[in-house]
Amino acid sequence: MMVTATEKVLDAERASLLRALGEQRDFLRFTLRGLDDEQAARRTTVSELTLGGLLKHVVSTERSWVDFIRNGPAPTEVDYEDPSTWQEHADSFRLLDGETLAGVLEDYGRAAGETERLVAELPDLEVSHPLPSAPWFPEGGSWTARDVLLHIIRETAQHCGHADIVREGLDGQKTMG
């Protein structure tokens, strides 16, 4: 079977996006190296952020955006006035009873595989859905699969920076330098 020029460009674009995401994932994993569960759950700044919580949040966020690529926005709107909505969000940033750093790292590997399989299966990166109704999205906006992948990369990179600061406060270790 002959590969067209368009397919080559698409394959190169997919590979570039997945490579950039993979690099950010590796930075995050590197920042977590050698930690036990207690260290992963410890706050080191005035922020509520912990290393294990950041990882858990990144996994959850990647999965929710991959679901968006597949299915579009969730069928029910989120009630941002409901305290349980905010509690659920806060819980996405911390290891809860029974959760371990090793378990979340394993889940991260599964989420990464799910993302990579979906990207490989898409007919193209122009698959698009309307954005969910939320105060931080423009009314009537939509994102393509490409937009979502760029957002996942951005989100992961942002939390890598957070993790680096938290880790440095924990034991002086840094991802870079």
Side-chain angles (χ1 to χ4, degrees), residues 114-147:
E114 293 162 12
T115 300
E116 291 163 13
R117 280 188 296 282
L118 173 66
V119 171
E121 294 167 0
L122 289 172
D124 59 55
L125 296 177
E126 291 301 312
V127 172
S128 180
H129 296 290
L131 287 166
S133 177
W136 45 86
F137 290 130
E139 192 71 30
S142 65
W143 274 3
T144 64
R146 178 183 300 100
D147 296 324

Side-chain angles (χ1 to χ4, degrees), residues 47-139:
S47 166
E48 294 289 325
L49 297 177
T50 68
L51 292 162
L54 283 165
L55 176 64
K56 180 180 167 185
H57 175 73
V58 167
V59 174
S60 171
T61 299
E62 183 168 331
R63 277 216 169 100
S64 68
W65 281 110
V66 166
D67 185 63
F68 174 85
I69 293 172
R70 272 194 197 101
N71 303 310
T76 58
E77 287 201 23
V78 175
D79 180 359
Y80 293 104
E81 301 297 319
D82 183 351
S84 69
T85 298
W86 293 107
Q87 186 61 52
E88 184 179 328
H89 180 69
D91 287 347
S92 82
F93 277 99
R94 63 178 144 255
L95 295 179
L96 302 176
D97 287 341
E99 295 177 330
T100 64
L101 179 59
V104 179
L105 281 165
E106 286 177 25
D107 197 29
Y108 197 28
R110 286 189 296 273
E114 293 162 12
T115 300
E116 291 163 13
R117 280 188 296 282
L118 173 66
V119 171
E121 294 167 0
L122 289 172
D124 59 55
L125 296 177
E126 291 301 312
V127 172
S128 180
H129 296 290
L131 287 166
S133 177
W136 45 86
F137 290 130
E139 192 71 30

